[in-house]
Amino acid sequence: MAKYFNIKVLSLILCFGVGAGCAHAAENRLLRAIEADTSEQLAAYRQQIEDLEFEFGPYHLGIAEPLQSMIELLEEAGDYEQVAELQRRQLQIMRTELGLEHPDLIPLLQSIMTTQLALGNWEEISDHLEHIRHLRSSFDGDNTEELLAAIQDQINWLYSRITVEDRRQQARNFFEIRDLYEEIEDIVEEAYGEDSLEAAPWRYKLAVNEYHLVAFLNASKGLGSESIDRLVQREGTYGLESRNRFGVSSVSQFGNSSFVPAVEKGRPIGDAYLSDGYSIVKSIQEVIDEEAGLEAQAMIKIYRSDFQILADRGRSIRGYREARDLLLQAGIPSDDVRWFFERPSVIPMETLHLNFADALAERKERIAASEQAEEEGIQIGVFTSWNEALGSTPMPVNEDPLWNIDVPLMWADLSFSVNSQGKASSVDILRTGPDDLDTKRSLWRVARDMQFRPAIIDNKARRVNDVRMRYQFTDED
C-alpha cells in the first residue's frame, strides 16, 4: 500500500512538473511567435521605406508613416533606443518637408520627449521644451496663453527634475524657474496689464514662487546654502536683509557667499520674499474686488488670508470670516462652505481658483486619494513632499502626466492636532508603507514645520484634534 502511495505521489509530481514545463514551453513558443511576427512587420516597413526612398528621396514626407508604424511596434517591445533613433529621422524629414517652424512639429516633439523620459535623458527634454516654446512664439505669437502655457511646461519639467537630481542641480533648476517666471511676468504685463482679471492666475503663480524661494533658502542637507549663494549672486543681498530686523555681512556660514542672513527669531531666512508674495496677492484682490462678483471676491480673500499667515502680517481670521459670509451671500450651499472651512488645509494653495466649486473639488480629490477611511479623524488628504531637503514643502502638482518622473514613494499616515494659528502638534505615526518602514526621518518635525490654514468653526479659528494626512516622500537615503 505504501509503495502504491509513493508511486501515485511520484506520478502526480511528475505530471505537475511536466504540466509546468509544458506551460513554460508554450509561453516561450508564444513569445518567439510574437517576436517573429514583430520582426516580419519591421522588415516589411523597412522595405516600404526603401521603396519610398528610391522613388522620392530620403526626405519624402510619406516615409514618416511607416516610420511611425515601426515606432509603435518598438514601443510595445520597450526598445526605446531604436524608437529614439527613428524619431530623430522623423523630425529630420518633417523639418525638411514642412520647414523649421511648422506647428505640426509640436506633436512629434512631444512624442520624442516621452521617449527621452523613458531613457532618462533630462537635458534633451529641456532642449525640446525650449524648441516648442520657440515654435509657439514664431507661428502663434499673438496667442499669449499658448506661449505662457509653453513656458509653464518648461517650469513643470524643472519642478519634476528637482525631485531626482543632486543638490547643486536642484538649486540651479529652481533659479531657472525663477527666471522663467520673470519672463512670464513681463509677457503678462505687456499683453494684459497688471490690473486685469486675465493676469490674476499668472500673477498668483509669481506669489507662490516667492513662497517656494523661501522654502529653498531654508532647506536642509546643503540645498539651503546652495540656494542662498545662488540668490546672492543673482539678486544681491537686498531681499535677505532690507526688511528683516537684522542683516549682516561677514564670513559666510552658508557657502561661498560673504553674506550671513540673520533674521528675527521664529521667522525664516528670506522672510521679505513672503511679504512680496503677500503684496502680489493683495494687488490681485484689488483688481478682483473691482471687476468680479461675490464668489471671486470671497475666494481671493481666502488666498490673501493664507499669505497673511505665511508673511506674518497679523491675524487672518477676519479675512476668512468675510470670505465665508460672501460665499453664503453668493448662494453657495452652507454645507459645502462649512465643510471647506471646518478642516485645516496646507497653505498656500498652488492654483488660484476664483470658483468655489473648483477649489472644493480639488480638496475632495486629494482626500479621496489618501486611501484612509473617511470616518477616521478629520481627513485632509495627501501631501507629497518635494524631496528630503524640502520635506515640509509640497511638490507642485503637474496636471500633464508627461512631466511626472516615476519615482518610488514611501508613505506614512499621520495624525496630529492643528491649533488656531495653523501649526501642528501631537504628531502620531499611524502606519507606513509600502512596508513597515524603520525610517530615520523625523516625521513629527516635518508636520510641525508645515503651515496650515486653521479650522474656522462658528466664525472662530479653533484647535482641532485627530487631523489625518497621508504624507508621501522619496527614499533618498
Side-chain angles (χ1 to χ4, degrees), residues 309 315 418-423 451-454 461-463:
I309 292 175
R315 288 179 58 79
V418 177
N419 66 19
S420 59
Q421 285 76 48
K423 300 303 292 184
Q451 183 63 64
F452 296 86
R453 180 189 308 142
R462 304 280 192 181
R463 176 187 176 91

Side-chain angles (χ1 to χ4, degrees), residues 300-367:
I300 195 59
K301 282 182 181 291
I302 296 172
Y303 287 90
R304 177 178 173 177
S305 298
D306 290 345
F307 269 87
Q308 193 172 353
I309 292 175
L310 294 170
D312 195 24
R313 301 294 289 265
R315 288 179 58 79
S316 60
I317 182 63
R318 178 180 176 182
Y320 292 131
R321 286 173 180 163
E322 292 175 351
R324 181 181 178 279
D325 291 343
L326 283 173
L327 287 171
L328 293 173
Q329 289 178 42
I332 305 299
S334 59
D335 288 346
D336 288 342
V337 173
R338 188 181 306 111
W339 186 95
F340 187 86
F341 281 98
E342 288 188 355
R343 62 187 65 212
S345 176
V346 176
I347 58 174
M349 291 189 286
E350 186 177 339
T351 304
L352 180 68
H353 293 299
L354 297 181
N355 179 290
F356 177 78
D358 292 340
L360 182 67
E362 182 182 273
R363 290 192 65 186
K364 288 191 173 184
E365 183 178 347
R366 292 193 179 190
I367 289 173

